[in-house]
């Protein structure tokens, strides 16, 4: 175990309440609030916003001299938390950024961050994550601040969770549980809720605990009567068995729901409609970009994991080619493997696409870390062969030197601002150039009685020229092989 010289050297206090240092606003621009007048045109109708904020207080109804209902409500709703991180690798700035992101996650989940500490050590302590001495110091901080929860910036083992709780005497959760809680709050669709529930059960299964009679054994087997054959399952074993049964049922339900999405995907493939997937770090502006490109009206909120359910919209390139644009769930560094596994069917939208728009927040303190974290998940879902365009969003708020560095390092990249519209036209042209084009160029004189073929040429191919003559429609198009075979009987003899 690593020795500690002094609390000031080993434990770095970060005042997150309202200091000028790092906090959630390092990742979420709190001064940029959404308003219908300013952002309505860019973000559409925001269909989900009214559902997300359905419960509202009506001002002026209180008969008290001082209206304290809001204070009481916040006191009841918001958990008061202290953050704990272990700095094992990288620079001090990396450790600060990681804890700032944890603060943003905690605030998104509805917690009030009071304080944060970082300890420098070679590896997390196997017993209490931060060591017994630092755990006692953490207990003092909890008492001083009045916190009721401690959040650790890492995934704790069941033993670490129990022993750290025994020392600090308040609830302890880890980064994985926090992200799962956010997903549970924001999941809206039936499939999204099922995926989150499966991930939560996978996480809780090894962490079940029992006290007192919960550990006692039930009566054993036998055919009834007074003399049974011995001890049966304990209560905790029964709970684990029931959770496994629920997990198996949930996996079957998710597989059934996956079939419906696969049918839609096959229909798009049959019609030869190219697909583009928007992937990226959470809160990088993926939904804003989708709304800007298609007017989809997807919820846009200055929070981590605001949207979880994939949204697919039709779009058109400047040259008139149709394609689909899919918004996917946001990623984060150290994304829990439970979530990657549960959302694998949703992430297949990325692997089956023809092009990935990898959105990165240009105003983030460490955009390169965002790129690396997302690419790690893309590798996990087997989408490394899909062409990628790096879209550096929030260019209006980014440091020009950071933009130049990213554009220089990432060869296929473009700087845009979904908020102001900067670079959107150039991005559309780039998408048009990067999407796969039909392989066969053909000229055909299609009779007017075969209008279906002309319509298919417009929807499935790329029309180079079109002329209406007395005999029919003279088309020069680039199409896939199947449609080329259907057009071949109408091609001029010199073109065959």
């Amino acid at each position: 175990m690593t020795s500690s010289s002094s609390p000031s050297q080993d434990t770095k206090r970060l005042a997150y309440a309202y200091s000028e240092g790092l906090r959630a606003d390092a990742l979420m621009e709190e001064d940029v609030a959404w308003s219908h007048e300013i952002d309505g045109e860019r973000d559409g109708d925001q269909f989900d916003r009214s559902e997300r904020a359905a419960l509202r207080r009506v001002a002026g109804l209180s008969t008290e001299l001082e209206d304290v209902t809001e204070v009481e409500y916040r006191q009841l709703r918001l958990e008061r938390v202290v953050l704990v991180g272990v700095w094992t690798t990288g620079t001090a700035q990396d450790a600060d950024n990681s804890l700032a992101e944890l603060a943003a996650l905690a605030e998104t989940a509805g917690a009030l961050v009071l304080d944060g500490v970082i300890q420098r050590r070679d590896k997390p302590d196997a017993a209490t994550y931060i060591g017994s001495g630092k755990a006692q110091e953490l207990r003092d901080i909890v008492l001083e601040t009045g916190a009721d929860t401690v959040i650790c910036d890492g995934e704790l083992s069941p033993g670490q969770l129990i022993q750290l709780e025994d020392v600090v005497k308040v609830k302890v959760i880890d980064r994985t549980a926090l992200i799962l809680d956010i997903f549970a709050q924001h999941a809206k669709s039936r499939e999204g809720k099922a995926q989150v529930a499966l991930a939560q059960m996978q996480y809780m299964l090894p962490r079940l605990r029992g006290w007192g009679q919960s550990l006692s054994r039930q009566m054993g087997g036998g055919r009834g009567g007074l003399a049974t054959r011995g001890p049966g399952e304990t209560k905790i074993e029964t709970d684990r068995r029931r959770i496994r049964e629920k997990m198996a049922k949930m996996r079957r339900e998710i597989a059934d729901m996956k079939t419906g999405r696969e049918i839609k995907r096959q229909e798009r493939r049959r019609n030869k409609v190219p697909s583009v997937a928007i992937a990226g770090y959470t809160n990088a502006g993926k939904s804003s970009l989708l709304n800007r490109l298609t007017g989809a009206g997807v919820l846009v909120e200055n929070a981590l994991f605001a949207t979880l359910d994939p949204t697919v919209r039709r779009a058109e390139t400047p040259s008139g080619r149709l394609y689909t644009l899919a918004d996917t769930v946001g990623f984060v560094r150290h994304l829990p493997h439970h979530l990657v596994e549960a959302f694998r069917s949703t992430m297949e939208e990325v692997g089956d696409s023809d092009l990935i728009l990898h959105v990165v927040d240009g105003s983030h303190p460490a955009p390169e870390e965002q790129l690396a974290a997302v690419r790690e998940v893309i590798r996990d879902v087997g989408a490394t062969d899909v062409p990628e365009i790096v879209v550096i969003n929030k260019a209006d708020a980014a440091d020009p030197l950071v933009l130049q560095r990213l554009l220089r390092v990432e060869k296929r990249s473009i700087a845009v601002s979904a908020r102001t519209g900067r670079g959107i036209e150039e991005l559309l042209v780039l998408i048009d150039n990067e999407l796969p084009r039909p392989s066969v160029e053909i000229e055909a004189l299609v009779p007017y009685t075969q209008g279906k073929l002309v319509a298919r040429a417009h929807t499935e191919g790329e029309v180079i020229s079109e002329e209406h003559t007395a005999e029919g429609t003279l088309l020069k198009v680039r199409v896939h092989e199947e449609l080329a075979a259907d057009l071949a009987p109408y091609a001029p003899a010199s073109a065959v």
Side-chain angles (χ1 to χ4, degrees):
M1 183 166 130
T2 307
S3 61
S4 302
S5 56
S6 69
S8 61
Q9 293 175 347
D10 294 335
T11 305
K12 184 177 180 181
R13 295 283 299 276
L14 301 176
Y16 281 98
Y18 288 99
S19 67
E20 297 180 356
L22 283 171
R23 191 176 166 265
D25 52 3
L27 297 147
M28 302 190 295
E29 302 166 5
E30 296 177 350
D31 56 331
V32 184
W34 191 93
S35 68
H36 183 75
E37 294 78 8
I38 299 174
D39 300 331
E41 180 181 353
R42 181 187 86 245
D43 292 332
D45 295 332
Q46 296 287 285
F47 307 124
D48 298 334
R49 186 168 293 280
S50 58
E51 296 178 12
R52 184 67 64 83
L55 185 63
R56 295 180 178 274
R57 292 180 63 249
V58 180
L61 296 183
S62 175
T63 57
E64 296 178 358
L65 294 177
E66 183 180 359
D67 188 356
V68 296
T69 8
E70 180 68 14
V71 177
E72 292 175 352
Y73 168 74
R74 288 179 61 85
Q75 185 73 20
L76 177 66
R77 176 178 176 268
L78 298 182
E79 289 191 59
R80 301 164 61 83
V81 303
V82 172
L83 310 180
V84 181
V86 172
W87 169 23
T88 57
T89 58
T91 63
Q93 186 65 39
D94 295 337
D96 290 351
N97 290 340
S98 181
L99 210 63
E101 183 176 89
L102 188 68
L105 289 168
E107 292 191 354
T108 301
L112 178 64
V113 179
L114 302 177
D115 208 345
V117 294
I118 295 177
Q119 187 193 12
R120 180 73 169 97
R121 56 186 302 135
D122 295 334
K123 61 181 181 180
D125 183 65
T128 59
Y129 184 66
I130 54 175
S132 57
K134 297 303 174 187
Q136 290 292 342
E137 292 183 25
L138 178 62
R139 169 63 179 164
D140 295 338
I141 295 172
V142 168
L143 290 173
E144 177 188 342
T145 58
D148 50 36
T149 305
V150 170
I151 305 178
C152 297
D153 191 17
E155 185 166 345
L156 271 61
S157 68
Q160 289 174 323
L161 204 63
I162 294 171
Q163 295 191 53
L164 190 56
E165 276 190 352
D166 288 342
V167 177
V168 298
K169 306 300 182 185
V170 295
K171 181 173 69 175
V172 176
I173 64 172
D174 58 13
R175 183 189 182 93
T176 301
L178 179 61
I179 294 175
L180 287 172
D181 182 75
I182 296 172
F183 271 57
Q185 291 181 43
H186 293 179
K188 185 183 65 174
S189 70
R190 179 166 168 256
E191 184 176 11
K193 290 178 180 178
Q195 289 168 328
V196 173
L198 176 60
Q200 286 179 318
M201 285 188 285
Q202 286 177 319
Y203 174 78
M204 286 303 299
L205 185 61
R207 292 171 173 81
L208 287 180
R209 281 186 268 173
W211 292 270
Q213 293 298 317
S214 295
L215 295 177
S216 62
R217 293 191 177 274
Q218 301 175 7
M219 298 300 290
R223 299 187 178 181
L226 298 177
T228 53
R229 281 200 297 260
E233 291 178 309
T234 61
K235 177 66 167 58
I236 198 168
E237 288 170 345
T238 306
D239 292 341
R240 284 174 180 160
R241 176 169 50 80
R242 287 175 176 169
I243 287 180
R244 290 191 187 98
E245 291 172 355
K246 286 184 179 179
M247 287 170 59
K249 180 182 177 182
M250 203 70 71
R251 288 193 180 99
R252 289 194 297 270
E253 291 179 358
I254 292 174
D256 292 340
M257 288 182 275
K258 176 185 174 184
T259 304
R261 191 173 56 253
E262 183 62 30
I263 291 173
K264 294 178 183 178
R265 198 179 297 147
Q266 288 175 357
E267 183 68 15
R268 294 198 295 267
R269 288 200 203 103
R270 189 178 68 80
N271 293 329
K272 307 297 182 182
V273 179
S275 61
V276 178
I278 302 178
Y281 213 77
T282 179
N283 207 38
K286 299 183 296 302
S287 297
S288 296
L289 184 64
L290 177 70
N291 290 342
R292 173 66 76 171
L293 293 175
T294 67
V298 176
L299 172 73
V300 173
E301 194 168 16
N302 192 20
L304 306 186
F305 299 115
T307 50
L308 297 182
D309 304 308
T311 304
V312 181
R313 291 291 183 269
R314 235 171 121 175
E316 189 173 325
T317 65
S319 64
R321 299 169 62 200
L322 293 176
Y323 65 98
T324 60
L325 202 60
D327 183 18
T328 61
V329 63
F331 304 141
V332 71
R333 68 164 69 107
H334 310 309
L335 190 68
H337 63 275
H338 308 291
L339 279 176
V340 175
E341 187 62 33
F343 278 79
R344 185 171 295 276
S345 58
T346 303
M347 294 176 183
E348 286 175 0
E349 289 287 351
V350 177
D352 290 340
S353 62
D354 297 299
L355 179 66
I356 296 175
L357 296 185
H358 185 164
V359 183
V360 61
D361 183 359
S363 63
H364 189 271
E368 289 87 356
E369 291 183 11
Q370 288 193 350
L371 288 167
V374 174
R375 283 170 175 158
E376 182 179 350
V377 180
I378 289 176
R379 279 195 302 271
D380 290 341
V381 298
T384 53
D385 296 333
V386 182
E388 175 193 67
I389 297 176
V390 176
V391 181
I392 308 168
N393 195 21
K394 305 183 185 179
D396 55 320
D399 185 346
L401 295 178
V402 174
L403 286 181
Q404 291 177 13
R405 184 178 76 239
L406 290 173
L407 291 170
R408 184 175 63 253
V409 173
E410 301 293 338
K411 302 304 178 186
R412 292 155 53 106
S413 59
I414 183 171
V416 305
S417 172
R419 184 174 185 83
T420 65
R422 168 186 168 182
I424 297 297
E425 296 297 329
E426 293 83 351
L427 176 60
L428 288 170
V429 172
L430 190 56
I431 292 173
D432 196 1
N433 294 334
E434 293 292 335
L435 281 177
R437 294 183 177 274
S439 56
V440 180
E441 184 174 325
I442 188 172
E443 185 175 345
L445 182 61
V446 183
Y448 290 118
T449 57
Q450 298 294 326
K452 274 187 181 178
L453 286 177
V454 178
R456 286 181 61 192
H458 279 276
T459 57
E460 301 176 22
E462 182 179 351
V463 178
I464 300 172
S465 65
E466 182 179 17
E467 181 182 351
H468 299 286
T469 66
E471 294 80 13
T473 305
L474 181 62
L475 288 175
K476 186 175 183 182
V477 293
R478 292 183 63 88
V479 293
H480 52 84
E481 295 179 358
E482 182 182 345
L483 183 53
D486 294 339
L487 290 172
Y490 308 104
S494 58
V496 178

